[in-house]
Amino acid sequence: MTALCNAHEGTFWPGLRWLEFAAMAEKQKVVIVLPITGFADWGLDLPLNVEETMSMSVLREASQQLYGVIKHLVLPPLRFVLGPTESSFFATDPDTAHETLREMVISIKESGFRKVVFYNSSPWNEAFLNVAGRDLRIELGMQMFSINLAGIGLDLKPDRSTTRDDCRILGANQASDRAKSILEKSAGRLVALLKEVAVREPLPNDGEIPTKQGDEG
C-alpha cells in the first residue's frame, strides 16, 4: 500500500483506530499539526513536491523525538494551497483555500481537539495562514498557531532566503551527512516550538470570546 506521506507512525492521525480516539484523555491539550505544502518550481532543479519532501522529513524527525513527550497528532499534508506565481502548480484561489482550511478545522474541533498548528512550507501562504488562523480562532474558538518552514531555517523564497542551498541539499539527498545535519538542526527548532504550543493553557470558556454590553449590536 502506498503511504499517504512521510510521517511518524505513532503520531499519524490516519493510523489511529476510533477506539484510540475515544479513549484519548484531555483532547483539548493534544496538539494537532496540519502540514501545508504547495507544488512549485523553486529553481533548485528538484521535483515540484520539494516542499513536502523537506517539511515532512523535518516533521517526522521532530515527531519521533516528541513521541511520548507531548501529546500530538499529525494530519496528512494539505497540498492544494495558494500559489500566485507562474512557477506554482495546482494552486487554489484564496476563498477556496480558506474554506478548505475551515472545513478541516471544524472536523478537528468536532473530534474533540482544540489546538491546531498550521505547519507551512510555502512562502506564498505565510500571511494567508496568519489571517486564516485568526478568523478560525474568532469563529470556532480554536487555539490556532502557525509555524513556517522559513522560521525553522529552511526558506525557499529567493529574494530573502539565506538557506536555499540547505533546501536543495535536504530536498535532493537526505542520506548525506550534510543533509542529516540540516535535518537535525531544523527538527530541533520545530521540537522547541511544538513544546511551547503544548504547554500553552487551553483557552478559557472553551474558546468563546466574551462580549461586552453593547457589542451585540
Side-chain angles (χ1 to χ4, degrees), residues 75-95:
L75 289 163
L78 176 60
R79 299 178 173 102
F80 304 104
V81 290
L82 300 188
T85 70
E86 292 183 354
S87 63
S88 303
F89 297 84
F90 314 114
T92 62
D93 61 88
D95 288 343

Side-chain angles (χ1 to χ4, degrees), residues 144-165:
M144 306 297 301
F145 304 87
S146 290
I147 297 175
N148 296 307
L149 200 62
I152 58 173
L154 291 169
D155 190 356
L156 285 160
K157 193 174 181 184
D159 61 357
R160 71 177 185 193
S161 176
T162 61
T163 57
R164 293 257 294 168
D165 194 49

